[in-house]
């Protein structure tokens, strides 16, 4: 039996109070809808149709070829949204899995289990449900005294005895493709919200004696829907815990999982230790035997193995094996550090290459620079890379020694093995092996303090 999926993602998400469309809000570093799509793909569905609405271009740009797209111009309800997939699924004879774009925690196994149960029971419709202690906000699953699913009532339409029902609709369904769009066309908007509810299709089939089933999830946290920012935080917390468990079970020590934030997109090698208050975000990759944190942030950054990062921020950069960063370093995008590089306390780097074994131990700004191997950059060194109009490059050759408190006024080249005198403002190239000094000669005034004290 063929299986297609429709992901509903056209809703405005009014309750988010945001200018960003709801399904693009991120959970653990990935848009909600992307989590949903990945789960649907991993459940083995090949044909995926995504229903988009306003700001649909942004959704399509993010997801590209992961799905086919159809548009719902007016948000008239979830049944109406599914109806928009009709032209794409015309003549499709298989089963249709329907998932909402705002349930980012669904696991692929749950989706394939639902479809499997649907197929083996030969149902017209099978709905995924959960038993919740607090069912508030969700549609309730109403069963007959015999236990057969009769209908789903939305919270806003529910009678008091229906509100007490704890079995809720997860918003995930498997439908028999044949006859699906005809059934949808028969639904009406005579409800509290004046919308075409997809949930009404359950009652529609049940009333006609068609087989309708329900499959309850084992783990009710999986179906958490995100409608507002509080639910977004709940989803984030659940997924964060899941990501941390994956990371820990793969051999990473996380000292305090309650205070460690790792995006679902991150990979971390064995025997790395993560200290509290650390954020590892985006497409970051960490090698083996690293020590990260406390209080560090890595964003879209690649670390080799045996790297330490302490109380520092590293963004959009690549760091070789054995590097030592921080405490209190700020590595901005576009940096490439070789092996065994030291970037110490209160150092800022931007768009800079540092060769193997180079050290920038303290209090420096190095930007737009190309620095060779085994260079020592003394405390307080500043590359003056910006003249108010354009940025210029500083080049420093292998083995050079930059004296403390040097200003390197770019564009500038300091040759291999060259030195600069402490406190110099270097404006001209320093040839290889030379010493560049640019500062006033010192004079000493004898007996100065004694003379100063005289009345
Ligand atoms: C829906 C279900 C509810 C269920 C809950 C599970 C209906 C009527 N209710 O309620 O029973 O418990 O999900 O999370 O289906 N969408 C569109 N076009 C629209 C309206 C919605 O594409 O016109 C999309 C939204 O982008 C969203 C999804 O459908 O991804 C669900 O819509 P939402 O408004 O969040 O429904 P709920 O009120 O949560
Ligand atoms: Ca919802």
């Amino acid at each position: 039996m063929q299986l297609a999926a429709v992901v509903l993602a056209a809703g405005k998400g009014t309750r988010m109070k945001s200018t960003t469309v709801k399904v693009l809000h991120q959970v653990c570093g990935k848009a909600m809808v992307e989590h949903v799509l990945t789960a649907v793909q991993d459940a083995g569905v090949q044909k995926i149709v995504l229903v988009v609405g306003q700001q649909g271009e942004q959704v399509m740009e993010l997801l590209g070829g992961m799905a086919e797209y159809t548009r719902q111009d007016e948000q008239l309800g979830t049944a109406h949204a599914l109806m928009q997939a009709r032209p794409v699924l015309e003549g499709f004879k298989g089963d249709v899995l329907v998932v909402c774009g705002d349930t980012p925690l669904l696991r692929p196994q749950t989706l394939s289990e639902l479809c499997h149960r649907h197929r083996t029971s030969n149902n017209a419709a099978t709905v995924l449900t959960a038993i919740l202690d607090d069912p508030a906000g969700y549609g309730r699953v109403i069963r007959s005294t015999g236990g057969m699913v009769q209908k789903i009532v939305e919270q806003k339409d529910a009678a008091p005895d229906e509100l007490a029902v704890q079995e809720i609709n997860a918003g995930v369904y498997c439908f028999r493709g044949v006859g699906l769009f005809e059934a949808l066309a028969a639904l009406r908007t005579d409800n509290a919200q004046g919308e075409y509810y997809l949930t009404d299709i359950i009652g529609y089939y049940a009333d006609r004696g068609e087989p309708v089933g329900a499959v309850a999830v084992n783990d009710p946290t999986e179906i958490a829907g995100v409608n507002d920012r509080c639910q977004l935080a709940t989803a984030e917390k659940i997924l964060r815990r899941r990501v941390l468990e994956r990371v820990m079970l793969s051999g990473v020590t996380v000292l305090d999982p309650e205070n460690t934030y790792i995006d679902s997109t991150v990979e971390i090698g064995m025997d790395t230790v993560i200290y509290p208050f650390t954020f590892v975000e985006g497409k970051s990759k960490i090698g083996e035997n690293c020590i990260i944190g406390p209080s560090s942030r890595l964003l879209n950054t690649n670390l080799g193995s045996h790297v330490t990062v302490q109380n520092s921020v590293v963004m959009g950069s690549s760091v070789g094996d054995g590097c030592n960063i921080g405490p209190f370093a700020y590595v901005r995008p576009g940096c490439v550090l070789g092996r065994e590089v030291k970037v110490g306390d209160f150092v800022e780097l931007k768009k800079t290459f540092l060769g193997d074994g180079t050290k920038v131990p303290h209090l420096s700004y190095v930007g737009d620079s190309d620095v060779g191997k085994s260079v020592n950059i003394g405390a307080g060194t500043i590359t003056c890379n910006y003249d108010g109009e354009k940025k210029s490059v500083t080049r420093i050759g292998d083995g050079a020694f930059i004296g403390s408190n040097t200003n390197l006024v770019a564009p500038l080249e300091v040759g291999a093995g060259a030195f600069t005198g402490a406190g110099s403002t270097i404006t001209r190239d320093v040839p290889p092996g030379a010493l560049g000094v640019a500062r006033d000669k010192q004079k000493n005034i004898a007996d100065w303090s004694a003379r100063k004290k005289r009345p």
Side-chain angles (χ1 to χ4, degrees):
M1 174 69 76
Q2 277 189 305
L3 182 63
V6 180
V7 178
L8 309 182
K12 288 201 258 319
T14 322
R15 289 166 279 181
M16 292 297 281
K17 307 249 163 59
S18 175
T19 53
T20 302
V21 64
K22 175 164 77 175
V23 296
L24 289 181
H25 280 263
Q26 296 200 339
V27 176
C28 291
K30 217 159 93 172
M32 281 198 257
V33 67
E34 204 179 346
H35 283 290
V36 173
L37 235 66
T38 313
V40 170
Q41 272 180 340
D42 292 351
V45 182
Q46 279 97 33
K47 190 178 182 64
I48 305 176
V49 186
L50 195 87
V51 185
V52 295
Q54 290 156 14
Q55 300 181 27
E57 285 67 30
Q58 290 170 29
V59 179
M60 291 191 268
E61 196 184 325
L62 176 76
L63 301 173
M66 283 176 89
E68 294 172 56
Y69 300 93
T70 182
R71 194 178 279 276
Q72 184 193 29
D73 289 318
E74 262 185 299
Q75 279 61 56
L76 302 178
T78 42
H80 182 259
L82 179 54
M83 197 59 154
Q84 309 314 307
R86 188 175 199 165
V88 190
L89 293 178
E90 198 65 73
F92 181 76
K93 298 270 187 305
D95 287 334
V96 180
L97 171 69
V98 176
V99 190
C100 295
D102 65 350
T103 47
L105 303 176
L106 286 168
R107 289 192 172 91
Q109 303 86 298
T110 306
L111 299 178
S112 40
E113 171 71 12
L114 175 76
C115 296
H116 176 75
R117 296 272 289 276
H118 171 82
R119 210 175 307 131
T120 49
S121 315
N122 206 10
N123 288 337
T126 310
V127 55
L128 186 71
T129 71
I131 317 289
L132 300 185
D133 291 338
D134 177 13
Y138 292 96
R140 309 295 204 279
V141 178
I142 308 301
R143 293 174 181 265
S144 67
T145 35
M148 300 290 286
V149 176
Q150 284 183 314
K151 60 174 177 176
I152 294 169
V153 243
E154 288 306 289
Q155 162 117 4
K156 288 186 176 147
D157 300 282
D161 58 326
E162 292 171 331
L163 282 176
V165 171
Q166 286 179 300
E167 188 179 13
I168 62 98
N169 167 28
V172 182
Y173 320 80
C174 193
F175 295 113
R176 186 191 288 159
V178 175
L180 171 63
F181 294 107
E182 289 73 12
L184 285 174
L187 305 183
R188 297 284 162 257
T189 58
D190 49 354
N191 54 55
Q193 304 186 75
E195 288 185 358
Y196 293 98
Y197 288 167
L198 178 53
T199 45
D200 284 350
I201 201 171
I202 301 296
Y204 174 90
Y205 278 133
D207 287 350
R208 279 157 190 75
E210 295 275 4
V212 173
V215 173
V217 279
N218 298 326
D219 171 11
T221 63
E222 225 181 288
I223 56 86
V226 175
N227 300 315
D228 58 35
R229 309 267 183 157
C230 298
Q231 291 172 326
L232 184 68
T234 304
E236 175 88 24
K237 187 164 185 189
I238 297 167
L239 192 60
R240 185 191 309 147
R241 183 72 210 188
R242 251 200 237 168
V243 170
L244 282 162
E245 276 169 17
R246 165 173 65 76
V247 163
M248 291 188 283
L249 292 172
S250 73
V252 174
T253 296
V254 177
L255 269 80
D256 183 4
E258 293 297 310
N259 292 297
T260 304
Y261 305 81
I262 296 175
D263 280 353
S264 57
T265 35
V266 165
E267 286 171 48
I268 306 180
M270 226 167 47
D271 289 324
T272 283
V273 179
I274 317 256
Y275 281 81
F277 311 115
T278 291
F279 296 74
V280 189
E281 300 172 292
K283 295 198 176 2
S284 292
K285 236 179 167 167
I286 300 175
E288 298 181 356
N289 290 292
C290 294
I291 301 177
I292 313 296
S295 301
S296 294
R297 178 166 182 232
L298 304 180
L299 174 66
N300 296 326
T301 283
N302 250 317
L303 299 190
S305 293
H306 298 277
V307 173
T308 65
V309 178
Q310 251 192 89
N311 298 78
S312 293
V313 176
V314 187
M315 296 162 79
S317 291
S318 160
V319 175
D321 293 346
C323 286
N324 201 332
I325 298 180
F328 312 111
Y330 181 22
V331 180
R332 290 165 53 196
C335 291
V336 177
L337 314 190
R339 300 162 71 97
E340 315 266 330
V341 168
K342 178 176 173 66
V343 179
D345 49 278
F346 308 106
V347 170
E348 175 177 340
L349 300 182
K350 187 212 90 176
K351 220 172 147 193
T352 280
F353 177 90
L354 300 181
D356 295 352
T358 284
K359 293 183 169 56
V360 192
H362 8 240
L363 301 159
S364 292
Y365 170 61
V366 184
D368 299 307
S369 299
D370 186 352
V371 180
K373 295 181 186 156
S374 302
V375 171
N376 190 85
I377 298 190
T381 295
I382 305 291
T383 54
C384 310
N385 60 329
Y386 185 49
D387 60 7
E389 277 170 25
K390 59 177 189 319
K391 307 277 165 70
S392 300
V393 172
T394 303
R395 289 178 210 284
I396 302 175
D398 293 350
F401 184 97
I402 308 299
S404 292
N405 225 25
T406 299
N407 297 315
L408 299 165
V409 182
L412 186 73
E413 183 157 356
V414 177
F419 282 65
T420 67
S424 294
T425 294
I426 303 290
T427 54
R428 286 185 293 127
D429 290 355
V430 182
L435 166 67
V437 200
R439 64 183 188 219
D440 269 355
K441 275 240 163 21
Q442 178 175 337
K443 64 178 176 203
N444 292 338
I445 300 170
D447 302 326
W448 171 254
S449 68
R451 277 196 278 149
K452 215 176 143 204
K453 273 188 201 136
R454 224 178 290 149

